[in-house]
Amino acid sequence: MIANARSYKKNQVSRAEVLSAISRCDKYHIKRVTAALDEIESYTSDIWLADHDLHIPGDLELDECAYLLVVLGDLVVDGVYVDSHYPESFLLVTGNMRARDVVTGGWLEVHGDLSTDRLIGDYNDCAAYIGGDVHAQLFYGEHHHFTIGGALNADAVIGEPRLEIATPPAAIDIDDLRMLDHFDRDLLRVFDDHDDNGNAITHMDGFRDFRELKRRVYAGLPFRAAETRDN
């Protein structure tokens, strides 16, 4: 259940209201949601509609609770926002979105700006669309596809994101030693060696376990032990 939002399965939202809300989306999503309306009773998830700005005081996880959440206004999530590619979930925000952290593997569409500490992509079945600017301390798209209509303002962009944007950002490769400035060594594959002259050298080979990276985000923990986070 999503507080302050109306449920389709409980007959609090009409089919016409859902179709009107998704008319703001592209043809692909209109087609998919329209088809889902005919089958939603067999889903474990529901369709939810928030008529105005929505504030979630904790975490917001769209998995089996929501196939579709539409927010007609701004969305503020005090904790982490997590969506799902299996089962597939879809969040549509017609205004701006702000969350402590964002992990997106499902469909995410924000027509305004997205502001968050850490923006993490997960898997590659679905995609994220941000019509405005993205403000983040760290952005790691993993294999997820992102389209950003405005600017990407991030302190650190990690890897080679699948990103459609007017001005591509400078990024830190996952085999770059600068990764140690942002992540604990136990999150990374780090190899200490020596060159032919006996000089100590260090090699980097990306993340050790992406699941541990996500676990820290879910728990609100820093990627580097020396950092502190305001929760």
Side-chain angles (χ1 to χ4, degrees), residues 2-7 13 21 47-56 68-75 92 94:
I2 299 176
N4 301 317
R6 294 185 288 135
S7 161
V13 181
I47 293 174
W48 299 87
L49 177 64
D51 297 289
H52 306 287
D53 296 347
L54 181 62
H55 175 215
I56 304 296
L68 168 66
L69 170 61
V70 178
V71 180
L72 300 178
D74 296 341
L75 173 63
L92 169 62
T94 64

Side-chain angles (χ1 to χ4, degrees), residues 158-173:
I158 305 299
E160 298 180 4
R162 299 175 61 202
L163 180 61
E164 291 185 38
I165 191 171
T167 304
I172 300 172
D173 291 337

Side-chain angles (χ1 to χ4, degrees), residues 90-145:
F90 179 25
L91 171 63
L92 169 62
V93 180
T94 64
N96 301 317
M97 177 176 173
R98 177 165 56 85
R100 187 200 73 206
D101 296 301
V102 172
V103 179
T104 178
W107 297 105
L108 171 64
E109 182 167 329
V110 179
H111 290 178
D113 298 338
L114 172 62
S115 300
T116 186
D117 285 355
R118 296 174 290 189
L119 176 56
I120 308 295
D122 185 14
Y123 208 66
N124 60 359
D125 275 2
C126 305
Y129 168 83
I130 314 300
D133 298 335
V134 170
H135 304 273
Q137 293 180 10
L138 183 143
F139 171 48
Y140 175 49
E142 205 239 355
H143 300 300
H144 204 65
H145 188 274

